[in-house]
Amino acid sequence: MSLGEVAADLYGVAPGDFVAVRDARARAAGESGDRELAAAITALRKPTVAAWAVNMLVRAAPGDVEALLRLGADLRTAQRQLSGERLRELTRQRRQAVDALAVRAGEVVAGHGRPVSEAVLRQVSETLTAALADTETAERVRAGTLAAAVSYAGFGPVEPDLSVVREEPKPAGTGSPRKTKRTAESAADRDREPRAEARRVREQERARAAETAAQETLAAVEQEARQAADHLGATEARLAELRAELTTVEAQHRFARNADRAARDAVRAATVELERARRRSR
């Protein structure tokens, strides 16, 4: 079995079971003599909840994910051609498709007994959006082997800056100089406003990405803490059982020891009585 086949199976496993299944696969590869494959399997990272949700979405709705990725190719083509109307229409379709697939991902993982938070669903949306902008990310999403969510803070084909799509200038000499100056100033103002808005949106996206990453890290730490507490509770319960068993065994030992002592005393008393009876019979 190749590393790709192992990864395809592993990244469909729930994050809580990933490490155990991965280590079992690595041991099996090592026992079969393929140490290189065993090492490569061991190096596979446990997926975050958001990455697992994307992986499960790909497995549950591959056709819908593939349609979204094709939309990304169309967006890049329209961006190169500076087709403003086409970019606007494709951007609208992209938003609708990403939102719908994020909801679908939440339904898929909830069906596997793992409801996710709004923060996780935002990471799913960001990852799908990044796949539209970057072909490498698109291939990782298509393979369903993501280990972590991906964010995209740029504007390129994903959020095109439509202010660069301008009409061709009129030939020189048409219109008065004053009107031409006012028109140029108005155009400059219109250009500055979208760029300022673009910067503001980028800053908001970066802030949301940082907040989401922090929430994901906190959730993972809290989950590990709960697991550690559960393990400690189980250990303490087992220790209490062993102590109770030890108390019972010690009580049984004392009873047996007392019974043995009483039996020995009875034997000695019977021996003395027997000797007295023999003497009286002489």
Side-chain angles (χ1 to χ4, degrees):
M1 180 174 288
S2 67
L3 179 62
E5 292 173 327
V6 173
D9 290 337
L10 274 179
Y11 283 101
V13 173
D17 300 328
F18 181 90
V19 173
V21 177
R22 180 197 63 191
D23 293 348
R25 295 291 182 88
R27 282 195 302 273
E31 290 169 359
S32 67
D34 195 342
R35 294 182 178 178
E36 184 176 353
L37 177 59
I41 294 173
T42 302
L44 293 175
R45 293 169 52 200
K46 174 183 175 180
T48 63
V49 175
W52 176 65
V54 175
N55 294 337
M56 297 303 292
L57 172 67
V58 173
R59 286 161 174 77
D64 294 338
V65 174
E66 189 61 34
L68 177 70
L69 299 180
R70 286 198 300 270
L71 181 60
D74 293 340
L75 274 164
R76 289 189 291 273
T77 300
Q79 175 72 9
R80 287 193 300 268
Q81 296 173 350
L82 296 179
S83 176
E85 289 300 324
R86 180 63 172 159
L87 278 170
R88 291 184 182 93
E89 175 59 23
L90 290 174
T91 300
R92 183 187 64 79
Q93 294 179 20
R94 187 271 301 172
R95 287 171 179 159
Q96 291 177 348
V98 167
D99 291 345
L101 285 178
V103 172
R104 175 68 173 136
E107 294 172 348
V108 169
V109 295
H112 285 77
R114 183 65 184 269
V116 293
S117 64
E118 288 296 324
V120 170
L121 292 182
R122 282 200 301 271
Q123 285 188 305
V124 171
S125 296
E126 290 169 358
T127 299
L128 295 175
T129 300
L132 291 169
D134 180 63
T135 54
E136 182 180 348
T137 301
E139 288 305 316
R140 289 162 58 198
V141 168
R142 182 180 284 113
T145 56
L146 284 174
V150 183
S151 62
Y152 182 80
F155 269 70
V158 176
E159 282 289 345
D161 184 356
L162 299 181
S163 65
V164 301
V165 182
R166 304 185 181 92
E167 295 181 358
E168 291 296 325
K170 293 182 179 180
T174 59
S176 66
R178 181 177 298 175
K179 183 177 180 180
T180 302
K181 182 179 180 180
R182 284 199 303 268
T183 303
E185 291 174 350
S186 177
D189 290 339
R190 287 196 301 270
D191 287 347
R192 280 195 294 271
E193 289 175 1
R195 285 197 292 271
E197 177 66 14
R199 284 194 297 272
R200 185 184 67 80
V201 173
R202 281 198 297 270
E203 290 172 358
Q204 289 179 343
E205 288 182 346
R206 291 192 185 99
R208 283 198 300 268
E211 179 185 358
T212 300
Q215 290 174 343
E216 184 73 15
T217 300
L218 177 61
V221 171
E222 290 176 344
Q223 182 179 3
E224 291 178 359
R226 286 193 297 270
Q227 292 174 345
D230 291 343
H231 180 70
L232 177 61
T235 301
E236 290 177 342
R238 179 56 180 158
L239 180 60
E241 291 177 359
L242 292 175
R243 284 173 175 166
E245 292 176 4
L246 178 61
T247 300
T248 301
V249 170
E250 288 175 342
Q252 292 173 344
H253 178 67
R254 286 194 299 271
F255 177 80
R257 188 170 54 196
N258 292 336
D260 179 69
R261 185 180 298 113
R264 291 176 182 274
D265 291 344
V267 169
R268 283 195 294 270
T271 301
V272 170
E273 187 62 30
L274 178 61
E275 183 63 27
R276 288 176 179 170
R278 286 176 178 172
R279 288 175 182 171
R280 286 195 298 269
S281 64
R282 289 178 182 169

